[in-house]
Amino acid sequence: MWEEKDNSLHKTFEFKNFSEAFGWMARVALAAEKMNHHPEWTNVYNRVDVKLYSHDAGDIVTERDHKLATIMDKLAGETNS
């Protein structure tokens, strides 16, 4: 579940292994690039911590952040099925 705090959306995704986590990140990167909206994230083995906010809107959460969050959730569901 996404948590909104400190003017950003936060979520931790966990995958079976590093390859699944990295593959998910690659798919998200392609979608984010099309949106010209890039996540702040860190990856350690099977875990990816994500923070979303819009720099160009004054570092706040916007509809674009919610849209990317939805895409991330969808792609994680496809990865974990």
Side-chain angles (χ1 to χ4, degrees):
M1 173 178 279
W2 288 92
E3 178 184 7
E4 188 167 343
K5 66 178 182 180
D6 301 325
N7 293 324
S8 58
L9 294 176
H10 297 259
K11 186 170 182 178
T12 297
F13 291 87
E14 288 194 32
F15 300 89
K16 292 178 186 172
N17 53 45
F18 177 76
S19 292
E20 284 196 10
F22 195 82
W24 174 82
M25 291 176 75
R27 288 185 291 282
V28 170
L30 293 172
E33 185 65 20
K34 286 181 184 176
M35 296 174 65
N36 193 30
H37 192 51
H38 308 96
E40 179 177 323
W41 55 13
T42 59
N43 166 241
V44 177
Y45 183 58
N46 69 329
R47 192 173 103 184
V48 182
D49 295 306
V50 179
K51 183 176 178 182
L52 297 175
Y53 55 97
S54 294
H55 306 285
D56 58 350
D59 295 336
I60 61 169
V61 176
T62 66
E63 183 57 37
R64 209 165 43 160
D65 299 300
H66 287 284
K67 182 176 180 183
L68 185 54
T70 299
I71 290 168
M72 289 177 158
D73 285 339
K74 180 177 181 249
L75 291 172
E78 291 173 1
T79 300
N80 291 329
S81 56

